[in-house]
Amino acid sequence: MSTDMINSSEISIPDTQTSVYEAIFGRRMTKELTGVEVPRSVLERMLEAAIWAPNHRLTNPWRFIVLAKDSPIRKQVAELTWQTTYDNVANPNPEQKKNSADASKSRVLDAPAMMYAYSAPGPDEETTQENYASVCCAVHNMALAAVAEGLVLDWSTGGISKLPGLAKILGADEDWAMVGALFIGEPVNLPTSRRDAAPSIVSWLS
């Protein structure tokens, strides 16, 4: 990996009217994306935001692998996704298995932008756990940056991130921990969501 470093004082802040609070409350995940292309420059801005996540020991544990649309690697992952989905669908009906596999394959092929996020291990269990937490924060940074870009980031930790032989296809080290598959694009629509109100889960001690 590159050892190039950049100082926080050297960062050029993208021009956006989206506040931090707007991004937090407006962030959603959805599989329904339009086919509008996501420029590489936008993905690069989002990745720059990612690596400024909290990182206790400055271990730089994040590893992102971007799968260009229509690339041989994306197509290979799509085929693997189809077969793995088909083999693991619980419903024995062949038509149902095929429909599920087709949908999973289309998700990979049709996403305007797709990447995998991994976490590199540390020298001990504590650092490895901190590294994983940092990469999760990095993905969330990207999700908030996506809002500012008028996009959504759909973060999957399901079957598409657990494909057999995926690390070899992507050229990922076997000891990297999978953090998730990330699908990025313009949403068809934004779903609503809900949470328990903060007072219900906060204890104020004095």
Side-chain angles (χ1 to χ4, degrees):
M1 301 301 294
S2 172
T3 57
D4 292 344
M5 302 290 287
I6 186 169
N7 192 285
S8 58
S9 63
E10 301 171 336
I11 296 295
S12 297
I13 307 299
D15 184 17
T16 174
Q17 300 302 310
T18 305
S19 74
V20 171
Y21 283 108
E22 287 173 324
I24 291 172
F25 295 125
R27 182 207 58 77
R28 294 289 181 273
M29 292 201 299
T30 176
K31 296 179 181 179
E32 301 298 323
L33 306 175
T34 72
V36 175
E37 178 185 1
V38 178
R40 178 167 175 160
S41 59
V42 171
L43 295 177
E44 289 174 344
R45 285 197 295 270
M46 292 172 63
L47 288 163
E48 286 290 348
I51 64 173
W52 286 94
N55 183 212
H56 178 202
R57 306 171 197 267
L58 296 182
T59 56
N60 295 298
W62 21 75
R63 305 288 185 267
F64 294 100
I65 300 175
V66 183
L67 281 61
K69 192 168 185 181
D70 299 324
S71 66
I73 291 293
R74 177 97 76 107
K75 293 176 181 177
Q76 187 176 358
V77 171
E79 292 296 336
L80 179 60
T81 299
W82 190 97
Q83 191 63 59
T84 303
T85 303
Y86 187 90
D87 293 342
N88 288 284
V89 171
N91 190 323
N93 182 285
E95 184 177 357
Q96 180 59 48
K97 290 167 70 73
K98 182 179 183 301
N99 289 341
S100 296
D102 287 347
S104 295
K105 178 180 178 179
S106 294
R107 187 182 183 197
V108 173
L109 291 176
D110 297 343
M114 178 187 177
M115 65 182 74
Y116 281 95
Y118 284 91
S119 175
D124 51 59
E125 183 177 353
E126 179 181 8
T127 306
T128 296
Q129 184 176 9
E130 289 182 347
N131 284 356
Y132 188 87
S134 289
V135 179
C136 288
C137 289
V139 172
H140 190 246
N141 274 12
M142 290 185 67
L144 298 182
V147 176
E149 299 284 355
L151 307 171
V152 295
L153 180 149
D154 189 50
W155 180 359
S156 175
T157 57
I160 204 163
S161 67
K162 302 171 184 176
L163 301 172
L166 179 63
K168 183 176 181 180
I169 292 173
L170 299 178
D173 288 359
E174 292 293 342
D175 62 349
W176 292 356
M178 170 64 73
V179 176
L182 313 180
F183 300 89
I184 301 163
E186 179 184 278
V188 173
N189 54 62
L190 286 177
T192 59
S193 189
R194 61 183 180 179
R195 298 288 190 276
D196 290 343
S200 69
I201 48 84
V202 176
S203 298
W204 296 80
L205 305 181
S206 60

